[in-house]
Each structure stands twice: as structure tokens, then as C-alpha cells.
Amino acid sequence: MTEQVRLTVNGVAHEITVEPRQLLVHALREDLGLTGTHVGCDTSQCGACTVQLNGAAVKSCTVLAVQVDGGSITTIEGMAPEGGLHALQNAFWEKHGLQCGFCTPGMIMAAADLLAGNPDPTDDEIRHGIEGNLCRCTGYQNIVAAIREAGSTLRAGAPVPAGAQD
Amino acid sequence: MIPAAFDYARPTSLDEALVLLARGAGNAKVLAGGQSLLPLMRLRLASPGQLIDIGRIAELRTIRDLGGGATGIGALATYRDVLDSELATRNHPILATAIPMIGDVQVRNRGTLAGSIAHADPASDLPAILLALEGTLVIRSGNGERVVAVEGFFQGAFATDLGQDEILTEIRLPATPDGAGMAYRAIEQPASGYSMVGVAAVIGRVGDSIGYARIAITGAGNVAYRAMAVEAALLGSDGGAAAIEAAAAHATDGQVVGSDFNADAEYRTAMAQVYTRRAVEAALAAID
């Protein structure tokens, strides 16, 4: 049995045919070729697969593709126009918020959810906001600094690309 | 891992879902936010033959004012919906402080309160909170509706009073006494974030003494429970440090305290007492 799923990803409408058991993360990576969303664990813990679904951060490994029929998704590829960087991406670069980079897309998508609701978070609020995301190399200090920096940049009025704030 | 194959149905009304569920005859599971069920299916610890996705049933996506300080939380209300609900957090302030301790932001964005209750993970925080609030559950099947207390609903780890043809449609939280203070305190396993012990306290004063106490504990026994002996010891006391300490010593009275690789029974018992004391102190401090 397969199902037709219509979804808008980074502003582009798609229609895909999936088995009901297909996870959203696999639909994004394999059907749509958006491999910036990572699979880091098998237990819904690491957050590397975090995307925004209808404006809220979710773990795309813990959502079935069929559940999001009609939904709107933003992945890391949709955070900034081609060739540009979102304030969060730029801050992760400037503050050295990554070493291997594997957790980074999920960190940025979770941070975007945090900053959308709380533009000026304390360090404690930042750490609480990314508690669903695991980094195994940098050690969080620079990730927190990057999110703080991005919040500051966004508050100062840096343009937020379409899709990143809905 | 990818779940085992299953049939998928997405009804658009509760009645339609109940018909499908009755027809599924024990082979079907109800899917709401999926934050408990899908991880189990991915690990192949659960392999239902059919998922009935109730996620599009608009009548279940409600947070209702039941009047007089009572709230109805529909089956599809997520943790985030409740946190964002001025009504729910005003009526029951413990929700505003306790829900951020549950899961993580991604889980709270998608997970539902009713789903957590129906799933009945013995380590989940919510059962203690609903027990202390004296919540009730609205349960529907093709045969009609029944309303049961949260107390008595949990029958064991992942086992509840919910029949195979029934859907938990609403959690109802009655008004708490005017001026009551409430708090939730939990010790979490550092890696998983699961509570090893969690304690919810709702406490009111009458004059200088404690006139109302509801204490509920998750993680210590095989299901969350009301700590009646703690409540009895608190009632009529002055709520001072010695009275709280003496009451908290009864945190696990009558319970068979579990052991696992995170915490043996001795440690869990000690932590139940410590976190009972902390929850009671915090609830007293929160009294208006």
C-alpha cells in the first residue's frame, strides 16, 4: 500500500508516493534529495534531523511522511537563499559553533524555533532550547555563543529569509 | 530503523475513527503526535498492523474553558499548545512550570498530553501532575462515552484501563482551591532526560496550617500514585521544615519501589523523599 503525500518544502510544492511507514526524514533525503537533514540516531534523541513543520521544530525521524500531507516544511537548505547564509548559519561559522558539522543543521533548526519565540534568550534558555539536540564534539559552549550572537544580529534587523520565520 | 509495514487510515471525524478502531480489533493503534509510539515502532518494540491517525480530527484539537477554573484538554492538544494556552496555565499554573521539563522542544511541539497518558510510560512526568490535579479522562468508543478518574486508570507499565476499541478524547482538570500553590520537581537521568522520580504537589493553607494537599509521585512505583500518607501527614500541620521532612518520609509508603540500572530501590526511595520535600516546599512558596 502506498499513499500520495503533498508537501511544500522550502517554498516548493512536491507530491511524492510513499509507504505509510516512511519517515519524513527519509522522504526529505531520498525522495527530495535534501540531504542537509541528518540521521544521527535511532532513538529520537539526537535532533540532527530537526526541521520546521508548519513553523515549529520537529524531529523528522519521529514523524511519518503521511502525517505531514498538506504541510509546509523548512529544512536547513531553505534557511537562506542560494549562496547566502542565515544569521544563525553565519554565527555558527563566526563563533566556531561546529567541528564535524553533523549536528549543525538540527542545531540551527532548533535554534530558529527558539529565537522565533524568544529573540533575546539567556544562556540558560538557549541550553534548554537545544536540549533535544546532541553534539558529540564541540561541547555546546560555542554553539550557545553562536545562538546568542545570531539572536543579537536578528534583533538588530538582519533580514530573515522567507521560510525561516513562518 | 524503519517501522514494520502497517496499513494507514486518516479519518476526519471521531465517529469514523471509532468505527475503524472497532474494526481493527486489537490490531490497530491510534496515532496522535506519535512521539511515544513512533520511537517504539522504529525499534520494532511495537508493530501494529494498522495506524489510525487521528491528527486531522479538528474536534479533538481543543483546549476548552469548562468554567469555574476547570479546563478540558483535547486529545490533540500538544504540550506546546497547553504552554501557549493562557487559559490552561492560569487555571493550573503547574502546567507552565512542569511541561518545559517534559521531553525537549521538538517533542513538546508535536507530542500530546492525551497520547502520553494513553501510552502510560511509567517514567513519564504527566501522570503525577494529573493525579495531583485530580484530573479525569473522557473515553469514547462506538458504545458511548465514559469519564474515569486518572487515579486507577494506570494498571501497570504501558497498561491502562483503555479498551482496544476506545479513544481517550479529553483530559479534564477541575478547579483547584483558591490560592493553592503547586509545583513539580523531578530528578532526571542525565542522558535520557527521563525522570527517575518526579513529584507533583498542590497545596493550600487554611489560616496558619495546611488545609489541602495533593501529592503524586511518578517513577518510584510501577505506576504513578497519590502519596496519601504524605498528604495525611501534611494536613493540619504548620508546613514548617520539620513537618515537611516528617511527611516526605512517607513518600513511598505502600509501594514496591523499582530498581533499574539508573537507580536502585534504596536510592529511588531516598530521592522520592527528597523530591517530595522539594515539591512541597516549592508549592508552599507558590501560594498566593
Side-chain angles (χ1 to χ4, degrees):
Chain A
M1 190 175 84
T2 58
E3 300 272 339
Q4 293 296 115
V5 172
R6 288 172 298 114
L7 69 176
T8 300
V9 181
N10 302 329
V12 179
H14 297 275
E15 183 161 354
I16 56 177
T17 303
V18 300
E19 271 192 85
R21 64 176 171 165
Q22 178 157 30
L23 303 168
L24 175 60
V25 66
H26 294 130
L28 293 171
R29 290 176 56 85
E30 292 161 23
D31 292 74
L32 303 180
L34 295 169
T35 53
T37 302
H38 294 165
V39 181
C41 75
D42 251 335
T43 51
S44 308
Q45 284 174 314
C46 80
C49 66
T50 300
V51 301
Q52 294 206 348
L53 170 58
N54 302 325
V58 302
K59 292 179 177 175
S60 61
C61 76
T62 313
V63 178
L64 300 171
V66 285
Q67 285 179 286
V68 304
D69 186 25
S72 177
I73 291 157
T74 303
T75 69
I76 189 69
E77 291 92 342
M79 289 298 279
E82 185 75 36
L85 290 179
H86 183 271
L88 274 163
Q89 294 170 309
N90 194 60
F92 270 69
W93 181 5
E94 292 293 339
K95 293 293 177 185
H96 196 61
L98 59 137
Q99 284 182 28
C100 82
F102 193 89
C103 73
T104 310
M107 286 286 179
I108 286 176
M109 301 314 288
D113 185 306
L114 171 72
L115 293 177
N118 182 0
D120 190 13
T122 64
D123 283 7
D124 276 353
E125 288 168 338
I126 291 171
R127 289 178 185 277
H128 190 246
I130 58 170
E131 80 175 317
N133 295 73
L134 299 179
C135 165
R136 298 287 79 157
C137 53
T138 303
Y140 303 105
Q141 205 68 20
N142 289 350
I143 293 173
V144 172
I147 295 170
R148 193 195 313 127
E149 168 87 0
S152 169
T153 305
L154 290 168
R155 287 197 306 283
V160 178
Q165 62 180 358
D166 62 13
Chain B
M1 272 168 61
I2 295 169
F6 54 84
D7 292 331
Y8 176 79
R10 192 166 63 218
T12 53
S13 74
L14 180 57
D15 288 339
E16 189 189 343
L18 291 169
V19 168
L20 288 166
L21 191 56
R23 204 182 288 157
N27 190 37
K29 284 285 282 183
V30 174
L31 176 68
Q35 299 303 288
S36 298
L37 180 58
L38 294 177
L40 285 188
M41 290 175 64
R42 293 184 60 202
L43 293 171
R44 306 273 176 125
L45 295 172
S47 307
Q50 183 184 29
L51 283 190
I52 299 170
D53 180 359
I54 62 171
R56 304 298 173 94
I57 301 177
E59 63 196 284
L60 298 178
R61 188 172 290 281
T62 53
I63 297 176
R64 296 194 298 148
D65 186 350
L66 300 178
T71 315
I73 297 173
L76 290 181
T78 62
Y79 293 107
R80 182 175 191 155
D81 291 338
V82 172
L83 274 179
D84 288 347
S85 165
E86 203 264 333
L87 171 78
T89 53
R90 184 184 65 234
N91 284 348
H92 321 284
I94 194 174
L95 298 174
T97 54
I99 287 179
M101 298 170 65
I102 297 174
D104 50 50
V105 64
Q106 294 95 325
V107 168
R108 293 191 296 272
N109 279 344
R110 200 141 173 90
T112 64
L113 282 73
S116 169
I117 294 300
H119 182 64
D121 187 325
S124 68
D125 302 274
L126 197 60
I129 296 161
L130 298 192
L131 281 170
L133 292 173
E134 294 188 283
T136 59
L137 306 173
V138 181
I139 293 169
R140 281 277 303 273
S141 75
N143 298 321
E145 179 179 296
R146 63 191 180 106
V147 180
V148 302
V150 172
E151 178 147 34
F153 178 75
F154 302 108
Q155 298 177 337
F158 306 102
T160 71
D161 177 40
L162 202 61
Q164 290 180 339
D165 61 343
E166 291 183 315
I167 295 177
L168 171 55
T169 56
E170 188 174 56
I171 297 166
R172 290 185 183 157
L173 301 177
T176 42
D178 277 347
M182 46 188 91
Y184 182 71
R185 291 289 183 273
I187 178 168
E188 295 184 342
Q189 205 280 341
S192 72
Y194 270 100
S195 293
M196 292 186 275
V197 171
V199 184
V202 180
I203 294 183
R205 280 190 185 276
V206 176
D208 289 334
S209 60
I210 291 178
Y212 181 92
R214 298 289 182 270
I215 311 295
I217 300 180
T218 194
N222 69 332
V223 297
Y225 61 92
R226 277 271 297 278
M228 301 287 192
V230 177
E231 295 176 6
L234 286 171
L235 284 174
S237 79
D238 63 0
I244 295 172
E245 190 78 39
H250 297 288
T252 57
D253 281 11
Q255 297 294 321
V256 177
V257 178
S259 286
D260 62 23
F261 58 81
N262 291 318
D264 64 17
E266 184 184 359
Y267 179 69
R268 226 175 257 275
T269 300
M271 289 304 101
Q273 294 174 3
V274 168
Y275 282 79
T276 296
R277 175 171 58 74
R278 292 182 183 177
V280 170
E281 287 168 351
L284 280 166
I287 288 177
D288 287 342

